[in-house]
Amino acid sequence: MEKIAAYLEEVKKIAIAGHVNPDGDCIGSCMGMYLYLTENYPELDVDVFLEEPKEVFSFLKDFDKIRTGHEENASYDLMILLDISSRDRVGVVGDLIDSAGKVLCLDHHRTNEGAYTWFYNDPEASSTAEVVYRFLDPEKISEKCAEALYMGIAHDTGIFQYQNCSPETMCVAAELMKKGIPHSWIIDRTYYQKTYEENQILGRALIESFLFFGGKVIVSVVRERTMKFFGVTPKDMDGIVSQLRNTIGVEVAVFLYETDWLEYKVSMRSKDYVDVSRVAAVFGGGGHARAAGCTIQGMHRDVINAIAKELDLQFREHDEAVKRQEKNDEEDG
Ligand code: AMP
Ligand code: MN
Ligand code: MN
């Protein structure tokens, strides 16, 4: 792995892009990379592409430079794809990948299959922002760039809480903090604060949730008519699945919202042992062991049953593994 400078030889036009429906890590990684390149390499012509990000991210420097569409005959010497999880999830400029001179993809999704000019995927990394940091010269990171990367790390670790948060993650966050960023404000403003509508739909999803598998699984569904009633869009429902996961005794939280007639976006989170990326992969989605997603067609009851079948498989595997371990312990002891 070389620093980003090594990838810029004979390159003039660069496009940076992330995944559809961009989250904090995706936006933080893309804007961190954009600011680093534009601040340190003014001779380069750099564009950043993202689907319309939420207003809470507008504090980031150059937020107004984000492009939500590209010119018809656009082409780039280098495309930098960040946090995409798979090639078909690149937002806005997905159709330009094939014509790009070179493609550098930095990611932390086990399910990313690669096939780019350069591919650095570290499923052990907390976030793509942490991976991006490794490619930058720490001395050339400005306070504004640090804000973006710190935000990415904070969001994907559930504010330094999840199992993906390592000593290395904390060291990177500390280095970014030393740049003088308003770290506490960033977390409060972009992660915890919610609009009235966001809180309302969260409340509704919690009230309507139900437990099964003896309380190991919690599920909640939001129909399109409910979203309309509360005046919310998918962006306003980001935090619901993690709140469901906070329920004591729950191993897996499943949150579904209707995206179309007989179509649901599924978000899954697990706590200790279920690999939800395996479940998502069965339905053509992906993600991480403890956070994954997919889109499934069908009536919501059928969608839940199909997911339940996959979860059942993993619960059985887990029970068997526990039994084997107990037997071994008995024999050893
Ligand atoms: P979500 O629940 O949509 O926030 O997604 C959780 C994680 O899974 C994120 O890291 C996503 O990038 C990833 N993910 C979600 N949906 C998909 C999908 N359809 N294909 C691949 N990865 C996905
Ligand atoms: Mn992401
Ligand atoms: Mn990520």
Side-chain angles (χ1 to χ4, degrees):
M1 190 190 85
E2 292 188 81
K3 297 281 176 191
I4 193 73
Y7 301 87
L8 304 177
E9 280 162 26
E10 292 173 40
V11 162
K12 175 92 177 88
K13 282 196 76 178
I14 300 179
I16 300 169
H19 61 76
V20 290
N21 194 16
D23 54 16
D25 181 31
C26 180
I27 295 164
S29 299
C30 288
M31 292 312 288
M33 181 63 90
Y34 177 79
L35 292 170
Y36 185 87
L37 292 179
T38 51
E39 288 170 349
N40 293 294
Y41 302 91
E43 67 281 11
L44 294 174
D45 184 357
V46 190
D47 290 330
V48 59
F49 295 94
L50 286 166
E51 285 181 356
E52 196 90 53
K54 274 172 87 164
E55 185 54 32
V56 288
F57 299 114
S58 63
F59 78 95
L60 291 168
K61 184 187 168 195
D62 284 350
F63 181 82
D64 58 341
K65 301 274 168 42
I66 294 173
R67 295 184 175 206
T68 54
H70 70 75
E71 283 132 29
E72 211 168 294
N73 49 8
S75 86
Y76 291 89
D77 305 324
L78 174 66
M79 285 185 83
I80 304 179
L81 306 179
L82 303 174
D83 200 42
I84 59 170
S85 179
S86 68
R87 204 183 163 100
D88 59 351
R89 294 187 80 232
V90 176
V92 191
V93 285
D95 57 324
L96 299 182
I97 300 175
D98 287 339
S99 64
K102 298 168 215 160
V103 179
L104 168 65
C105 178
L106 311 185
D107 204 349
H108 68 130
H109 288 90
R110 206 176 297 277
T111 47
N112 192 332
E113 286 170 346
Y116 315 97
T117 320
W118 301 289
F119 182 40
Y120 294 93
N121 189 27
D122 180 4
E124 300 300 317
S126 66
S127 51
T128 298
E130 189 180 327
V131 178
V132 167
Y133 179 86
R134 296 176 195 163
F135 280 77
L136 311 183
D137 176 349
E139 284 176 7
K140 290 186 177 163
I141 296 177
S142 70
E143 183 188 338
K144 294 294 167 194
C145 170
E147 285 181 356
L149 296 176
Y150 183 88
M151 184 188 79
I153 296 173
H155 276 235
D156 257 22
T157 55
I159 315 301
F160 309 104
Q161 183 211 334
Y162 302 147
Q163 284 176 10
N164 63 2
C165 186
S166 66
E168 161 83 17
T169 311
M170 299 308 271
C171 288
V172 173
E175 290 307 315
L176 295 170
M177 218 182 228
K178 285 184 201 161
K179 300 282 179 181
I181 60 171
H183 54 92
S184 176
W185 182 92
I186 292 173
I187 289 173
D188 190 46
R189 181 72 192 97
T190 67
Y191 194 86
Y192 288 113
Q193 282 194 26
K194 296 205 180 294
T195 62
Y196 181 69
E197 291 76 15
E198 285 170 337
N199 269 333
Q200 289 247 298
I201 195 72
L202 168 66
R204 168 73 181 235
L206 295 181
I207 285 220
E208 303 262 304
S209 68
F210 54 94
L211 296 168
F212 62 137
F213 284 102
K216 284 190 291 191
V217 178
I218 189 164
V219 179
S220 189
V221 185
V222 169
R223 304 293 299 272
E224 202 192 345
R225 57 172 185 263
T226 311
M227 292 169 64
K228 270 210 187 105
F229 178 81
F230 287 103
V232 295
T233 65
K235 283 183 198 149
D236 300 314
M237 301 194 291
D238 269 356
I240 294 178
V241 70
S242 41
Q243 187 56 44
L244 290 167
R245 178 191 163 279
N246 287 340
T247 314
I248 289 178
V250 158
E251 169 60 20
V252 184
V254 183
F255 177 62
L256 281 72
Y257 63 83
E258 201 173 10
T259 44
D260 209 336
W261 174 241
L262 295 181
E263 186 184 278
Y264 288 87
K265 166 76 209 319
V266 180
S267 281
M268 290 176 281
R269 300 290 183 273
S270 63
K271 265 187 204 151
D272 295 321
Y273 55 87
V274 169
D275 182 347
V276 285
S277 75
R278 263 178 65 192
V279 180
V282 170
F283 303 101
H288 314 279
R290 305 282 170 262
C294 54
T295 296
I296 306 183
Q297 259 92 26
M299 304 270 288
H300 70 270
R301 283 181 203 292
D302 298 333
V303 170
I304 294 167
N305 283 337
I307 293 167
K309 213 175 115 203
E310 298 305 319
L311 292 176
D312 187 44
L313 209 70
Q314 289 202 39
F315 285 136
R316 281 169 200 271
E317 281 175 15
H318 178 73
D319 288 348
E320 275 162 28
V322 170
K323 268 191 213 133
R324 260 200 312 277
Q325 187 61 46
E326 281 171 359
K327 202 166 156 237
N328 285 349
D329 290 350
E330 254 169 47
E331 281 168 7
D332 292 349

